C-alpha cells in the first residue's frame, strides 16, 4: 500500500484535513442510511460513505440519492455538513480542476479556493433530487475556477493602460475553459459539458457513461452530438470571443476611440455587418 502523501496548507488539502477531523474519533459525522438505496440501516460515517461512493461498482442511482441527501443537509444546516459534502466529493473536485492548476501552477491555491467558492454557491441553489448531482456540482466548481484562470492569463498577456484585444499566452484555448465559457453562456448544460469532457477529453467509454446515465448507447451518442453542434455553432458565432480584452500601451492603433471595444466586445464597422444571434439552447 502506497503511503499517503503529506498534506499542505492548500485549500483542498485543508479541506481534506478538516474532513478527516470530522469523520474520525468516537463520534464521527455520519449519515443515517435508513431508507437510502445501497446503505445499511444505521448511521454511516462520512469517511465510510465516501469510500462506498468511490467504488466503481456503486450505481449512479445510489450516488445521486446519497449526494442529494448530503446536499439537503448542507442547505439546511451548513457548517459541518457543507464541509462533509465537500470532503466526500473532494476527489471529483480535484479531478475537475487538475488541468487548470497545471496550466497555471503558481496560482493553484487561488484556483482551488475559487473552485470551492463556486462549489458552495452551486450547493446553495442545487436541487437535491436531480440526476448526476455530484458531476453537476464539480462541473460548476470547475467553471468558477476557469473564470479565474482566464482572467489571470488575460492579465499576463500585456498589462497597460488602454484595453485592446490580445491573445493571452497559451493555454488560453484550453478545452476546459472553452467548455466552462459555453456553460456560463447557457449554450450547453453542465451535464452535457461534462459528457463531452469525460468522453472526448478524458477518454471515458461512451457506453459506460450511457449506462451510468440510464440511457441506451444511441440516445447518449445523439445527446452528445447535439451538444457538440451547439458548442460548434457557439464557437463560430460573434458571441464567442477567443481573446480576452487586456491592457496595452496607449500607442497601439486599437487604443484610439474609434477602435476601442464597447461593452467588452470589439467594434466592427464593416458595412452591412450584423451581429449574429446567440445559438439557441435546446
Amino acid at each position: 500500500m502506497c503511503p499517503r502523501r503529506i498534506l499542505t496548507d492548500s485549500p483542498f488539502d485543508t479541506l481534506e484535513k478538516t474532513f478527516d477531523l470530522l469523520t474520525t474519533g468516537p463520534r464521527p459525522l455520519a449519515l443515517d442510511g435508513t431508507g437510502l438505496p445501497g446503505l445499511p440501516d444505521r448511521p454511516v460515517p462520512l469517511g465510510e460513505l465516501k469510500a462506498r461512493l468511490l467504488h466503481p461498482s456503486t450505481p449512479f442511482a445510489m450516488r445521486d440519492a446519497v449526494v442529494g441527501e448530503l446536499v439537503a443537509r448542507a442547505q439546511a444546516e451548513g457548517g459541518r455538513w457543507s464541509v462533509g459534502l465537500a470532503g466526500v466529493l473532494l476527489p471529483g473536485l480535484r479531478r475537475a480542476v487538475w488541468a487548470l492548476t497545471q496550466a497555471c501552477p503558481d496560482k493553484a491555491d487561488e484556483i482551488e479556493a475559487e473552485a470551492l467558492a463556486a462549489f458552495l454557491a452551486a450547493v446553495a441553489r442545487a436541487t437535491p433530487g436531480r440526476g448526476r448531482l455530484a458531476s453537476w456540482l464539480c462541473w460548476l466548481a470547475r467553471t468558477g475556477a476557469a473564470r479565474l484562470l482566464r482572467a489571470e492569463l488575460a492579465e499576463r498577456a500585456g498589462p497597460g493602460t488602454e484595453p485592446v484585444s490580445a491573445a493571452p499566452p497559451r493555454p488560453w484555448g484550453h478545452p476546459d475553459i472553452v467548455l466552462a465559457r459555453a456553460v456560463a453562456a447557457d449554450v450547453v448544460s453542465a451535464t452535457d459539458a461534462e459528457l463531452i469532457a469525460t468522453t472526448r477529453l478524458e477518454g471515458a467509454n461512451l457506453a459506460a457513461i450511457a449506462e451510468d446515465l440510464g440511457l441506451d448507447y444511441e440516445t447518449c451518442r445523439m445527446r452528445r452530438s447535439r451538444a457538440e453542434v451547439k458548442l460548434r455553432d457557439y464557437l463560430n458565432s460573434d458571441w464567442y470571443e477567443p481573446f480576452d480584452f487586456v491592457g496595452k500601451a496607449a500607442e497601439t492603433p486599437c487604443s484610439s476611440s474609434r477602435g476601442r471595444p464597447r461593452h467588452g466586445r470589439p467594434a466592427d464597422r464593416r458595412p452591412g455587418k450584423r451581429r449574429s444571434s446567440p445559438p439557441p439552447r435546446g
Side-chain angles (χ1 to χ4, degrees), residues 138 197 210 219:
C138 290
T219 299

Side-chain angles (χ1 to χ4, degrees), residues 44-68:
V44 181
L46 262 59
E48 177 187 341
L49 190 66
K50 180 178 181 179
R52 286 175 177 268
L53 294 182
L54 288 175
H55 197 279
S57 66
T58 302
F60 268 88
M62 174 183 169
R63 294 179 186 176
D64 286 343
V66 171
V67 174

Side-chain angles (χ1 to χ4, degrees), residues 74-202:
Q75 290 175 339
E77 302 181 36
R80 59 179 186 161
W81 284 105
S82 294
V83 174
L85 170 63
V88 167
L89 299 185
L90 183 56
L93 291 171
R94 289 190 186 277
R95 286 195 304 271
V97 305
W98 181 85
L100 304 181
T101 57
Q102 295 304 299
C104 204
D106 59 322
K107 292 292 181 180
D109 284 0
E110 288 89 340
I111 290 171
E112 289 183 4
E114 191 67 24
L116 288 176
F119 173 81
L120 293 175
V123 169
R125 69 176 189 271
T127 302
R130 68 169 293 150
R132 299 298 298 274
L133 181 55
S135 296
W136 183 80
L137 291 171
C138 290
W139 179 260
L140 290 188
R142 175 160 60 176
T143 299
R147 282 196 298 267
L148 176 69
L149 177 60
R150 186 167 68 249
E152 171 65 22
L153 293 179
E155 182 178 345
R156 292 182 180 188
T161 57
E162 295 293 337
V164 297
S165 178
R170 288 192 176 276
W172 58 264
H174 192 284
D176 277 326
I177 298 177
V178 173
L179 283 169
R181 293 179 69 176
V183 172
D186 208 31
V187 175
V188 295
S189 69
T191 301
D192 286 347
E194 199 225 350
L195 176 61
I196 294 172
T198 53
T199 58
R200 296 297 196 192
L201 305 179
E202 300 171 11

Side-chain angles (χ1 to χ4, degrees), residues 223-237:
R223 176 174 176 172
R224 182 182 66 179
S225 178
R226 287 192 296 268
E228 289 175 333
V229 168
K230 294 175 189 175
L231 182 62
R232 181 201 64 198
D233 291 344
Y234 168 63
L235 296 179
N236 290 328
S237 74

Side-chain angles (χ1 to χ4, degrees), residues 17-58:
K17 288 185 284 188
T18 306
F19 179 79
D20 287 345
L21 290 174
L22 281 174
T23 56
T24 55
R27 299 182 62 184
L29 184 63
L31 182 69
D32 187 0
T34 304
L36 291 174
L39 293 183
D41 294 337
R42 60 171 174 82
V44 181
L46 262 59
E48 177 187 341
L49 190 66
K50 180 178 181 179
R52 286 175 177 268
L53 294 182
L54 288 175
H55 197 279
S57 66
T58 302

